[in-house]
Amino acid sequence: MHGVSDHAEPPSSRTAEPYRRPVAAVLFDFHGTLAQVEEPHEWVLAAARECGATLDRIKATSLADRLVTAGRAGGPLPARVPPRLAELWADRDLYEHAHRAAYTGLAETVDAGIEGFAEALYDRVLRPDGWVPYPDTRPVLAALREAGVRVGVVSNIGFDVRPLFAAWDLDGLVDAYALSYEVGRCKPDPGIFLRACGMLGVDPEETVMVGDTPADAGAVAAGCAVLVLPAAGPGRRSGLGAVLDLAVRPPTARG
């Protein structure tokens, strides 16, 4: 007698779509995810102009290489932190004064021969024209807003990024900012992600964190899903639209 196997898979299980966690909110890292600092040589040229100095491009590029190695706000970690700056460096994302003092102190280790240069370099990071929002940023944030998905910015940072978003006309697309120097917690501490979810009034289980570093993946410990994308250079597409596949677009139907 031929019968149905006890191990046969029910037809419904073969055709059902995989379960997807509902997404009520998306949290974004700032630097390397939504925006990138200006090119290093442009950074140096602009700061020199603020000090009334003129540099040729070759000298600016050479100086920029040395300054990036020493440590630039929004750039890679410094090759070495002098002992006198160690405490400020450790606290840079918790206090505004420590952030400024740490990065101006690192810049001062490079002798450019320009009075006030270290302060001018730091001030570039506070200005909207010292950053380049990724081309993906506006359309992705707008699509999330249209879909009714709440948006937060979660950043390890020692200054207020809200004026930057306002200058870029993106502030209307962001619902909350969880900034480490205001929250008192730094990524990957789950506390900063939980604070962001509380600001948005959403459950972590219905939230996706998008970033570019392992620190952003700390959101998993808070219960969030995580999407990590490699940072792109200024003005290049970052692939940020991948978040829409998680938060907005339904799964592709199978034929």
Side-chain angles (χ1 to χ4, degrees):
M1 179 178 178
H2 298 286
V4 178
S5 168
D6 291 338
H7 302 290
E9 184 181 10
S12 60
S13 68
R14 294 194 300 269
T15 59
E17 291 290 350
Y19 172 73
R20 284 169 44 133
R21 288 169 38 140
V23 176
V26 177
L27 307 177
F28 291 95
D29 169 53
F30 173 56
H31 168 245
T33 301
L34 294 178
Q36 185 60 273
V37 284
E38 62 190 328
E39 290 284 2
H41 67 277
E42 295 293 344
W43 168 56
V44 168
L45 287 168
R49 286 195 297 269
E50 291 293 325
C51 298
T54 301
L55 299 174
D56 61 58
R57 187 164 291 271
I58 293 176
K59 184 175 180 179
T61 300
S62 174
L63 191 55
D65 288 343
R66 293 163 58 201
L67 286 163
V68 169
T69 300
R72 173 194 184 186
L77 295 176
R80 175 182 176 273
V81 176
R84 66 182 178 81
L85 298 176
E87 187 174 354
L88 289 168
W89 178 256
D91 290 342
R92 69 192 185 283
D93 291 329
L94 293 174
Y95 305 101
E96 288 181 277
H97 75 274
H99 196 270
R100 175 181 281 274
Y103 283 108
T104 54
L106 290 171
E108 287 168 352
T109 65
V110 177
D111 184 11
I114 302 173
E115 186 176 355
F117 192 49
E119 290 288 341
L121 288 168
Y122 182 81
D123 286 342
R124 292 295 300 171
V125 82
L126 306 179
R127 298 174 50 163
D129 57 349
W131 293 84
V132 183
Y134 286 120
D136 318 59
T137 297
R138 180 181 297 278
V140 167
L141 295 182
L144 292 172
R145 174 53 55 93
E146 184 177 357
V149 177
R150 295 183 67 75
V151 169
V153 172
V154 182
S155 180
N156 285 354
I157 204 160
F159 63 91
D160 190 2
V161 299
R162 295 176 185 86
L164 306 183
F165 281 80
W168 299 330
D169 195 26
L170 295 175
D171 53 330
L173 301 176
V174 178
D175 299 296
Y177 298 82
L179 309 180
S180 61
Y181 84 99
E182 294 180 337
V183 174
R185 302 283 185 90
C186 292
K187 298 178 291 186
D189 186 329
I192 192 170
F193 304 107
L194 293 172
R195 178 68 66 86
C197 291
M199 290 176 174
L200 294 173
V202 297
D203 292 330
E205 292 78 12
E206 296 183 345
T207 302
V208 176
M209 173 67 201
V210 183
D212 68 304
T213 70
D216 298 308
V220 168
C224 304
V226 173
L227 173 64
V228 178
L229 300 168
R236 296 179 56 193
R237 294 189 179 277
S238 63
L240 202 58
V243 72
L244 300 180
D245 294 327
L246 299 174
V248 176
R249 297 171 185 142
T252 303
R254 291 193 298 259

